[in-house]
Amino acid sequence: MSIIEFKKVEKYYGKFHALKNINLQVEKGEVVVVIGPSGSGKSTLIRTINGLEEIEEGQLLVNGYDLADKKTDLNQIRKDVGMVFQHFNLYDNKTVLENIMLAPKLVLKRNEKENKETALKLLESVGVSDKTASYPKQLSGGQKQRVAIARSLAMKPKALLFDEPTSALDPEMIDDVLNVMKEIAKEGMTMVVVTHEMGFAREVADRVVFMDKGEILEDAHADEFFEAPKEERAKQFLSKIIKH
Amino acid sequence: MISVFQQHWQELLTGLGNTILCSVIALFFSLVIGSTFAIFEVLPSKFLRIIGRIYIEVFRNIPLLVIGMFFYVVVPQYVLPMDGFTAGTIGLTLYTSSFIAETVRAGIQAVDSGQMEGARANGLSFMQAMWHIVLPQAFKYVIPPLGNQFINLVKNSSVLAFVAGFDLMYQGDMIASATFDTFNTYIAVGVLYLIITLPLSYYMRYLEKKLA
């Protein structure tokens, strides 16, 4: 069963046509990597999935809820769909542990003891368990992003969205974050990942979606895509990215 | 000046007490009302944004004395009887709340939008995100201008003198017109205002350093 399904979705910013006739399905447990040049609509696409961006036309079903329907309670969707941002967006006024425990406490009403145990376990699994009492500004970029991932996982989501999670990181921090993401993928999490990390895409992705100018130009199995992309634009993009 | 304190300490103490009481009440409510309208101004709802805007522009742009007189003279006549202290305190609260609303709004807008977005994506409602994440950071940014507003509030409470609020200024006026010793009386009154405002000013500075 698809957990995320776009049907003929259109999105505009004023006159700018940001998403054009998007049709996409993500199955439970699938890892889908979205790639494409900047300004191609990748981030917009992923941000529509938890309602951070509204869609103007078409249908977008997430875990059974229709995002095009104004009556849909977005908080219900956000409980089930976590998001990891390029700039981490950790709560600057909260410690690492508080960052992770806040939403489960307020939204899921998880009791204090269970909440703390879950949080500590998650921090250990992402390798930041020595920083529980630190504030975000005391962490490195890589640590911040791993805490942000733990924060999303604490809600026990059915799917996780990653919007260029390594783009703001120093090169030597990137692997730490990608390794955590690989672990999560291995455990069967449904993931939609916007990234420029082709190595990660190749190794982890089930499918690769290539976008340009608001359109999905290619949607293929990862192996097929990297072996022989069908679209000319995708070929150009890959040759440019992989050359270096 | 000392003789004014010696002879009129009872009136001055009453005045000081009323000024402090009025200031504390007005400070509390103007902070609550001001923050509420600041939030109105950043809400997704256009209707509430306009309501917030109207409230702020009305009370920010009418002289405090006019608002105070309105509650002292007009409101008791047509709506609800109230004494000068109450009328003056309400006027001062509404007037100050409009400035606090503007200050807090600026603070909210200074908080990186990623904070709200991260909280919403994490499942928090708008109000939960506002209360737990955005407002605490916003207040930290605006402690210095907020301190100015608080000091202005204490000084502006002297408007109570015009509506028979029995505050420090009112008592000073009474003593001065009874004794004709205007020089010493108003210096004494000024010193008593400093006793309230200087510690307040230093406390706000301390808070600013502590939270920075």
Side-chain angles (χ1 to χ4, degrees):
Chain A
M1 189 197 118
S2 307
I3 185 161
I4 300 166
E5 187 170 7
F6 287 79
K7 287 181 193 167
K8 297 182 176 169
V9 167
E10 309 279 346
K11 158 90 191 159
Y12 297 86
Y13 291 114
K15 280 194 178 146
F16 180 69
H17 202 164
L19 294 178
K20 296 172 191 161
N21 190 27
I22 300 291
N23 292 286
L24 179 69
Q25 292 184 4
V26 180
E27 308 297 324
K28 210 163 182 301
E30 238 185 340
V31 177
V32 174
V33 164
V34 183
I35 62 172
S38 52
S40 60
K42 311 179 296 280
S43 284
T44 308
L45 177 88
I46 202 173
R47 286 163 61 88
T48 59
I49 299 173
N50 67 352
L52 286 179
E53 300 287 349
E54 283 179 28
I55 60 170
E56 267 75 46
E57 276 172 56
Q59 218 183 9
L60 172 49
L61 297 169
V62 177
N63 198 28
Y65 294 97
D66 183 2
L67 273 131
D69 187 348
K70 296 263 183 259
K71 279 176 288 192
T72 300
D73 181 8
L74 288 175
N75 291 334
Q76 206 59 41
I77 292 167
R78 288 167 180 159
K79 253 199 251 181
D80 292 329
V81 181
M83 184 151 193
V84 175
F85 297 86
Q86 181 178 356
H87 296 289
F88 331 118
N89 295 7
L90 289 178
Y91 310 138
D92 290 337
N93 60 327
K94 304 272 180 201
T95 65
V96 165
L97 196 60
E98 289 167 345
N99 259 277
I100 295 171
M101 290 172 64
L102 185 68
K105 178 178 141 197
L106 293 177
V107 182
L108 306 178
K109 317 283 179 210
R110 192 178 288 162
N111 75 57
E112 177 79 15
K113 186 166 167 273
E114 189 195 339
N115 197 4
K116 194 166 179 182
E117 278 169 13
T118 312
L120 290 173
K121 221 180 281 172
L122 282 167
L123 280 173
E124 202 177 323
S125 71
V126 299
V128 209
S129 48
D130 53 334
K131 299 283 179 188
T132 51
S134 304
Y135 283 87
K137 67 176 174 193
Q138 298 166 310
L139 304 181
S140 72
Q143 288 169 333
K144 279 185 202 171
Q145 198 57 299
R146 284 179 284 152
V147 172
I149 293 172
R151 182 176 72 175
S152 297
L153 288 173
M155 292 294 283
K156 299 206 160 64
K158 296 196 169 70
L160 267 186
L161 311 172
F162 293 83
D163 189 3
E164 302 203 24
T166 57
S167 297
L169 298 179
D170 289 339
E172 67 262 40
M173 307 278 180
I174 291 177
D175 272 353
D176 297 341
V177 171
L178 291 180
N179 286 335
V180 168
M181 289 169 63
K182 283 177 198 167
E183 281 304 312
I184 298 168
K186 248 188 244 166
E187 283 161 23
M189 177 65 73
T190 309
M191 290 162 69
V192 182
V193 186
V194 172
T195 186
H196 295 296
E197 297 295 332
M198 293 302 136
F200 173 84
R202 210 166 207 169
E203 192 184 330
V204 183
D206 297 304
R207 269 162 57 212
V208 172
V209 169
F210 177 77
M211 289 184 76
D212 191 23
K213 300 196 174 88
E215 278 181 292
I216 293 180
L217 293 185
E218 193 157 348
D219 177 354
H221 277 278
D223 301 339
E224 289 169 27
F225 181 82
F226 286 109
E227 291 299 314
K230 291 189 187 72
E231 289 289 326
E232 194 52 40
R233 189 70 188 83
K235 279 181 203 164
Q236 282 174 15
F237 179 76
L238 275 185
S239 70
K240 268 189 193 160
I241 271 202
I242 293 176
K243 208 161 33 180
H244 299 286
Chain B
M1 190 180 91
I2 303 293
S3 67
V4 174
F5 280 124
Q6 279 169 343
Q7 284 162 29
H8 301 281
W9 63 272
Q10 269 179 318
E11 294 103 302
L12 288 173
L13 210 60
T14 311
L16 184 71
N18 280 333
T19 290
I20 291 175
L21 185 64
C22 161
S23 299
V24 170
I25 295 171
L27 194 148
F28 176 78
F29 285 104
S30 61
L31 202 54
V32 172
I33 298 170
S35 302
T36 305
F37 280 102
I39 293 170
F40 269 38
E41 283 222 291
V42 295
L43 279 176
S45 154
K46 197 174 177 188
F47 176 72
L48 290 176
R49 278 208 308 272
I50 292 173
I51 298 282
R53 199 70 240 151
I54 291 173
Y55 176 88
I56 291 166
E57 292 302 356
V58 165
F59 287 109
R60 193 169 63 144
N61 291 303
I62 295 176
L64 171 57
L65 189 52
V66 175
I67 302 173
M69 287 307 274
F70 183 84
F71 279 94
Y72 185 53
V73 180
V74 182
V75 171
Q77 200 174 343
Y78 296 104
V79 191
L80 184 77
M82 62 175 75
D83 59 20
F85 180 84
T86 310
T89 306
I90 291 175
L92 184 62
T93 301
L94 298 180
Y95 178 79
T96 310
S97 71
S98 68
F99 288 92
I100 288 182
E102 281 296 82
T103 309
V104 174
R105 177 186 61 86
I108 291 173
Q109 284 170 338
V111 176
D112 176 42
S113 62
Q115 295 289 309
M116 174 57 92
E117 208 163 63
R120 297 308 303 277
N122 205 196
L124 271 62
S125 68
F126 179 89
M127 281 317 292
Q128 285 173 330
M130 202 39 123
W131 184 254
H132 293 278
I133 306 302
V134 178
L135 276 183
Q137 297 182 53
F139 274 105
K140 221 167 90 177
Y141 287 134
V142 298
I143 285 172
L146 221 46
N148 283 337
Q149 300 298 346
F150 292 165
I151 288 162
N152 277 336
L153 181 148
V154 174
K155 293 189 293 175
N156 286 340
S157 72
S158 59
V159 81
L160 257 68
F162 291 90
V163 295
F166 298 97
D167 68 317
L168 197 48
M169 183 65 195
Y170 180 88
Q171 304 291 7
D173 283 340
M174 289 297 141
I175 298 165
S177 58
T179 62
F180 300 108
D181 184 4
T182 50
F183 181 82
N184 285 311
T185 306
Y186 287 117
I187 285 186
V189 168
V191 167
L192 288 174
Y193 273 110
L194 281 176
I195 287 175
I196 309 174
T197 49
L198 280 182
L200 181 63
S201 168
Y202 278 96
Y203 179 70
M204 293 307 283
R205 248 184 241 183
Y206 160 79
L207 216 56
E208 187 189 339
K209 279 211 188 102
K210 196 183 133 194
L211 294 176

